[in-house]
């Protein structure tokens, strides 16, 4: 499903790009009736535009190289992938194992037995370290390598009923 959506998006984005190119090519120059001040203002605007393209174009490409982000995070580790099956229920989490090793990639296979839940992993300071959705009838893969050992919390990140706030469990990350 996602590759199809991506391909359709690419086609539509190409059409839009052609539309812009068509308008740009067919628009004439109308500098003749500009005052000198207007001319220098437009020159400044053109320089500013290309300056921004030069700065943000490479910056955008550089940051996009990490996509998909979870694969980049998983590459940070070494060793065999540790698979954790995670299922959300109203209102608890079920994990196929309660601990994983630090520094070694983990693959969470996340799904739900009833409604949509949000699978969020938090460190001891309750900072979010990784998240994905838990959806019925679908398994989302979340890859993450824990750099530090400790006890991490799994909280539900999407309102899923009256006891949503109770929906939490822990996963221990142990040093190798
Ligand atoms: Cu499950 Cu909120």
């Amino acid at each position: 499903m996602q590759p199809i959506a991506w391909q359709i998006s690419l086609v539509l984005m190409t059409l839009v790009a052609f539309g812009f190119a068509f308008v740009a090519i067919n628009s004439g120059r109308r500098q003749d009736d500009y005052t000198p001040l207007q001319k220098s203002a437009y020159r400044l605007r053109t320089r500013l535009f290309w300056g921004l393209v030069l700065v943000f174009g490479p910056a955008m490409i550089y940051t996009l190289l990490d996509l998909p982000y979870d694969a980049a995070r998983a590459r940070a580790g070494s060793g065999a992938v540790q698979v954790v099956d995670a299922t959300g229920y109203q209102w608890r989490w079920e994990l196929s194992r309660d601990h994983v090793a630090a520094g070694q990639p983990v693959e969470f296979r996340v799904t739900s037995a009833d409604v949509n839940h949000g699978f969020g992993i938090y460190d001891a300071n309750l900072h979010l370290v990784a998240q994905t959705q838990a959806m019925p009838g679908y398994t989302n893969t979340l890859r993450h390598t824990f750099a530090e050992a400790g006890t991490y919390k799994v909280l539900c990140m999407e309102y899923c009923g009256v006891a949503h706030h109770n929906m939490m469990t822990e996963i221990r990350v142990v040093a190798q």
Side-chain angles (χ1 to χ4, degrees):
M1 187 63 202
Q2 281 167 352
I4 296 171
W6 170 234
Q7 280 155 16
I8 292 172
S9 304
L10 269 186
V11 171
L12 294 177
M13 276 155 27
T14 310
L15 284 177
V16 170
F18 273 122
F20 274 100
F22 180 80
V23 171
I25 289 166
N26 287 289
S27 63
R29 289 171 165 267
R30 294 204 48 205
Q31 285 185 0
D32 298 338
D33 43 357
Y34 289 158
T35 66
L37 184 64
Q38 282 174 323
K39 277 185 189 169
S40 60
Y42 278 118
R43 264 200 303 275
L44 181 66
R45 189 178 71 172
T46 306
R47 284 200 201 115
L48 205 61
F49 172 75
W50 287 111
L52 289 174
V53 168
L54 278 178
V55 171
F56 286 100
M60 187 182 69
I61 291 167
Y62 177 74
T63 52
L64 285 178
L65 290 179
D66 274 351
L67 279 173
Y69 297 121
D70 64 341
R73 279 201 298 269
R75 277 197 299 275
S78 61
V81 175
Q82 313 167 83
V83 175
V84 180
D85 292 308
T87 308
Y89 298 84
Q90 285 169 311
W91 291 274
R92 65 195 164 88
W93 291 107
E94 215 172 79
L95 304 182
S96 61
R97 50 196 286 183
D98 61 358
H99 68 280
V100 293
Q104 199 176 322
V106 183
E107 184 174 299
F108 293 95
R109 297 180 185 162
V110 183
T111 188
S112 167
D114 37 50
V115 300
N116 268 0
H117 302 277
F119 181 82
I121 305 172
Y122 293 79
D123 67 13
N125 299 317
L126 282 186
H127 291 148
L128 182 66
V129 297
Q131 64 96 16
T132 190
Q133 262 211 307
M135 300 151 69
Y138 191 86
T139 300
N140 275 313
T141 305
L142 173 67
R143 297 184 189 88
H144 185 72
T145 298
F146 293 92
E148 290 179 27
T151 301
Y152 291 72
K153 277 193 162 58
V154 175
L155 305 182
C156 184
M157 301 178 72
E158 185 171 332
Y159 183 73
C160 55
V162 289
H164 155 75
H165 58 280
N166 277 342
M167 201 168 157
M168 59 180 92
T169 188
E170 286 181 349
I171 185 157
R172 277 183 304 117
V173 177
V174 293
Q176 279 180 302

